[in-house]
Amino acid sequence: MRGNQLSSQAPLSPQEEPVFSFARVFWRRFRRNRLAVLGASILIILFAIAILAPQLAPYDPLRITLAKRFSPPGSPGVDGKVYVLGTDSYGRDLLSRMIYGARISLSVGFVSVGIAVSLGIILGSLSGYYGGIVDTVIMRLTDMMLSIPVLFLIITVLAFLGSGGFDRIYLIMGIIGVTSWPGVARLVRAEFLSLRERDFTEAARALGAPDPLIIFRHILPNAMAPIIVSSTLRVAGSILTEASLSFLGIGVQPPTPSWGNMLYENQAFLRNAAWAATFPGLAIFVTLLSFYLVGDGLRDALDPRLKE
Amino acid sequence: MRKYVIRRLLQALPVLFGITLISFTIIHLAPGDPAALLIDPEASAEDVLRIRAALGLDQPIYVQYVKWLGHVLRGDLGRSFLDGQPVLQKIMEVIPNTLQLTFIAFLLSLTVGIVVGVISATRRYSLIDHLSTVFAFIGISLPNFWFGLMLMLLFSVTLRWLPSHGMHTYGIQPNFFDTSQHMIMPALVLGLEGIAGISRYMRSSLLEVIRQDYIRTARAKGLAERVVIYKHAIKNALLPVITILGLSLPGLVSGAFIVESLFAWPGMGRLGVQSVFTRDYPTIMGINLMASTLTVMFNLLADLAYAMADPRIKYN
């Protein structure tokens, strides 16, 4: 009864007040960046393609038809269908292989960044929140990781662990994730250094909140904007790393199609089947471009301070 | 300053130690026996054991590591499993080629990046500024191996203007013109990401500087816009760019592994990838150490350049 009175006396009920929910503000800012919206649309289509690969692919990506080797784009295929993007040196349908390749690229990108961001948040927040010896140790480790020529280390590891019994793609996700946390850790640490001095952190501490609660409930949510922006860009970086490894022949192993290993297989036929080395690379390029555009839009929308 | 350099070099030692420890452990714990690759499959079990003993592979890992480290400290990186040549000599043979390629790529990203950045900052929101934005997005998104393949397709396969592989034309005396022709595509591919990145940093840095009071003063006293920009603004705008340059150098070292493999450029990156495939442990370790040393040195150089360019920054 008393509660009702109180709420009816409030100057504006929640319904009358204009609603500026976070999502709406975010979307209004994000859609102003038309290139970012374009990038996001491309990514949504890519996700759909990756999920619906078995329904969308005209052919089995592994199906070899030697009689149809090096068919140029648009040539008639077996079963009355068309090889929209042509075939490769085994007569496999390029489009179908690229559709399945999207699964590899996107899953490697997201899983490895998930690993890197989790590690980076844990180490970066410990470092920034506690300071002192914890900070020194973690930051020395970070500096060390940043001065390793990581790509060569990954190449070495993959080449040597290749014969292990488990699926190679998990190894690739794991190793890219485990080697790319230092950038995230530095970013999170910098955010924590400034946020831990703020009044709301002080207030939480004064109320006797334990450290984990302060770190995860109070500080981390306030540090999320730059983390999300940099994660988006990192997904692109991981996708590129997987493609580079596969291009060198030590990433995803043929016949499983990945955009990188398709280039690895088809580069030798640049002279007589240029399309086979063109389209998979184009797919990598468009995907990376979309992630960068979306990252740019996210930065404008989530963290307007960073806008020039 | 000398003190600072010495202290930084000393700080680099544990980093290099850690890197070698990590890579040594990974390489030696991994399944796959280099002895098995070297010996013909018909060899008897005793032969395999003898070769493993000769290569020192029968000892515990930590013994192998300490021995390796001891040799490295005396300037000996061991001998290649493949051809018995000293690893140091092998690396020294190819490293000038890598440095040459990375240097040209670096110079390319520096000059083109700065020029594009200055032009788009001084003509903000003009057509050329928008074009350079688009170019920068494309530049960071183009995978270097695919960009290289497409250049090869256009300039080597279709137009036949440029050679697609190697550093010299086979059978002719190596000369400057020939090498330059071979270098155009690899250097462009290696430098592209830098051009894109540096042009963006230069643009935003210059825009930042142009807003400062002393630029307004310079304009107010009637200086020509050219003088304001080229004499007053650019110097200060270059400061943050120097840091970025330092940060982009490790990327060049990594990029060299891909670009050299693609264009068959006879450098350290290509040797590295080849030695991984042949499980040539000593060469892999040598290249790991060398590439890490280069990265650490480049970082130090960037910090020094930064401190020299800005007297407000103290060495500490």
Side-chain angles (χ1 to χ4, degrees):
Chain A
M1 190 60 198
R2 203 173 157 79
N4 275 342
Q5 265 183 338
L6 271 178
S7 66
S8 64
Q9 277 168 357
L12 274 173
S13 78
Q15 284 83 4
E16 289 163 284
E17 210 174 335
V19 186
F20 285 116
S21 76
F22 175 74
R24 255 184 67 175
V25 175
F26 167 77
W27 173 240
R28 277 207 341 207
R29 289 199 198 135
F30 185 79
R31 83 177 166 203
R32 242 182 271 157
N33 188 333
R34 273 172 297 170
L35 284 173
V37 175
L38 175 71
S41 319
I42 295 176
L43 288 184
I44 290 170
I45 295 171
L46 263 174
F47 275 107
I49 290 175
I51 292 167
L52 299 174
Q55 282 74 38
L56 291 173
Y59 288 98
D60 177 347
L62 303 180
R63 176 175 169 175
I64 293 173
T65 315
L66 286 175
K68 297 280 183 184
R69 317 173 61 206
F70 298 130
S71 305
S75 12
V78 285
D79 308 340
K81 287 178 272 194
V82 176
Y83 293 129
V84 179
L85 298 181
T87 64
D88 64 8
S89 59
Y90 293 93
R92 294 176 298 201
D93 179 42
L94 210 64
L95 177 65
S96 304
R97 291 180 67 73
M98 280 173 58
I99 288 174
Y100 275 87
R103 294 185 150 189
I104 304 262
S105 287
L106 292 177
S107 54
V108 169
F110 279 95
V111 173
S112 59
V113 169
I115 297 172
V117 169
S118 313
L119 285 172
I121 285 180
I122 292 170
L123 291 170
S125 53
L126 288 177
S127 190
Y129 187 77
Y130 289 108
I133 182 81
V134 182
D135 184 33
T136 311
V137 171
I138 294 178
M139 279 303 116
R140 278 285 90 81
L141 189 67
T142 309
D143 288 344
M144 191 176 96
M145 290 291 293
L146 285 173
S147 52
I148 296 179
V150 173
L151 187 68
F152 187 57
L153 188 69
I154 298 179
I155 291 173
T156 312
V157 174
L158 276 180
F160 280 88
L161 295 185
S163 38
F166 47 100
D167 209 334
R168 199 175 176 82
I169 184 139
Y170 298 116
L171 184 65
I172 296 172
M173 291 168 173
I175 180 107
I176 296 178
V178 169
T179 47
S180 48
W181 59 265
V184 186
R186 269 203 176 167
L187 179 78
V188 174
R189 172 179 178 268
E191 289 293 313
F192 266 66
L193 281 181
S194 97
L195 290 171
R196 74 168 181 198
E197 307 296 337
R198 298 279 184 83
D199 288 345
F200 66 81
T201 314
E202 198 61 38
R205 208 174 288 138
L207 287 170
D211 285 350
L213 190 73
I214 299 179
I215 291 176
F216 290 105
R217 276 291 291 283
H218 295 278
I219 302 188
L220 192 58
N222 285 293
M224 275 325 276
I227 296 176
I228 291 174
V229 172
S230 93
S231 306
T232 313
L233 306 178
R234 272 163 210 289
V235 174
S238 297
I239 290 176
L240 180 63
T241 307
E242 181 276 319
S244 307
L245 294 168
S246 298
F247 174 74
L248 288 174
I250 40 190
V252 176
Q253 294 300 301
T256 306
S258 106
W259 294 338
N261 76 22
M262 291 173 75
L263 287 178
Y264 165 69
E265 288 188 310
N266 297 330
Q267 59 172 327
F269 310 108
L270 209 53
R271 241 164 254 279
N272 40 5
W275 62 86
T278 303
F279 294 121
L282 195 63
I284 304 174
F285 168 59
V286 171
T287 307
L288 297 186
L289 186 61
S290 306
F291 274 107
Y292 284 124
L293 291 175
V294 169
D296 197 51
L298 284 177
R299 190 182 49 216
D300 292 353
L302 289 175
D303 208 353
R305 286 171 302 165
L306 291 173
K307 208 173 177 186
E308 355 154 359
Chain B
M1 162 153 168
R2 183 185 298 168
K3 256 194 197 158
Y4 173 76
V5 175
I6 292 173
R7 200 170 63 236
R8 280 290 302 270
L9 287 174
L10 288 178
Q11 276 175 357
L13 286 179
V15 171
L16 291 176
F17 174 76
I19 293 169
T20 58
L21 190 63
I22 294 171
S23 31
F24 200 90
T25 314
I26 291 170
I27 294 169
H28 286 77
L29 282 181
D33 183 354
L37 273 172
L38 289 171
I39 308 166
D40 97 79
E42 312 272 301
S44 67
E46 289 95 69
D47 285 340
V48 174
L49 284 179
R50 216 176 46 241
I51 292 195
R52 287 180 58 86
L55 297 176
L57 294 168
D58 55 341
Q59 288 161 327
I61 292 179
Y62 58 89
V63 176
Q64 290 186 41
Y65 179 69
V66 170
K67 270 179 125 176
W68 179 81
L69 198 64
H71 283 117
V72 168
L73 292 178
R74 278 172 272 151
D76 172 17
L77 291 177
R79 280 170 183 278
S80 162
F81 281 178
L82 214 61
D83 50 17
Q85 266 196 62
V87 169
L88 191 64
Q89 187 193 324
K90 276 184 97 144
I91 294 178
M92 283 307 159
E93 271 167 24
V94 293
I95 216 167
N97 300 341
T98 296
L99 289 178
Q100 207 179 339
L101 180 64
T102 22
F103 180 70
I104 299 294
F106 178 71
L107 219 55
L108 197 69
S109 31
L110 186 67
T111 46
V112 180
I114 288 179
V115 169
V116 171
V118 170
I119 292 177
S120 41
T122 48
R123 295 180 180 71
R124 197 180 181 187
Y125 301 136
S126 68
L127 178 66
I128 195 160
D129 182 28
H130 287 303
L131 282 180
S132 87
T133 306
V134 173
F135 166 79
F137 270 113
I138 292 175
I140 52 169
S141 311
L142 268 178
N144 49 17
F145 45 91
W146 184 63
F147 181 48
L149 276 177
M150 291 300 104
L151 287 182
M152 262 187 211
L153 183 61
L154 179 62
F155 292 109
S156 307
V157 176
T158 311
L159 298 172
R160 296 175 178 278
W161 287 354
L162 293 171
S164 63
H165 285 89
M167 195 175 170
H168 309 288
T169 307
Y170 184 74
I172 71 165
Q173 188 70 24
N175 61 65
F176 177 76
F177 181 69
D178 184 51
T179 310
S180 312
Q181 269 196 327
H182 281 83
M183 202 188 281
I184 293 176
M185 289 197 291
L188 183 61
V189 171
L190 196 54
L192 180 75
E193 198 183 337
I195 297 178
I198 289 167
S199 71
R200 293 326 282 170
Y201 276 103
M202 190 65 210
R203 176 180 184 272
S204 57
S205 169
L206 190 56
L207 286 174
E208 184 74 29
V209 168
I210 287 175
R211 277 202 286 267
Q212 306 277 320
D213 285 343
Y214 73 90
I215 295 295
R216 193 184 312 145
T217 311
R219 281 182 179 148
K221 69 183 183 183
L223 287 181
E225 186 67 16
R226 292 177 58 92
V227 181
V228 174
I229 298 292
Y230 291 98
K231 217 161 163 209
H232 294 246
I234 285 186
K235 265 190 210 162
N236 288 289
L238 278 173
L239 279 179
V241 176
I242 293 174
T243 328
I244 298 307
L245 287 179
L247 291 175
S248 74
L249 285 167
L252 284 178
V253 178
S254 279
F257 285 103
I258 306 267
V259 173
E260 290 184 359
S261 299
L262 175 64
F263 289 100
W265 187 264
M268 192 178 72
R270 183 157 164 264
L271 178 65
V273 174
Q274 283 171 343
S275 59
V276 163
F277 280 114
T278 50
R279 305 208 167 210
D280 189 351
Y281 290 3
T283 310
I284 298 174
M285 283 307 298
I287 287 181
N288 247 320
L289 183 62
M290 201 58 84
S292 314
T293 310
L294 275 183
T295 312
V296 171
M297 298 292 285
F298 284 157
N299 279 334
L300 176 60
L301 280 180
D303 285 351
L304 286 179
Y306 196 46
M308 260 185 259
D310 188 351
R312 286 170 305 180
I313 293 168
K314 295 254 162 34
Y315 304 107
N316 53 40

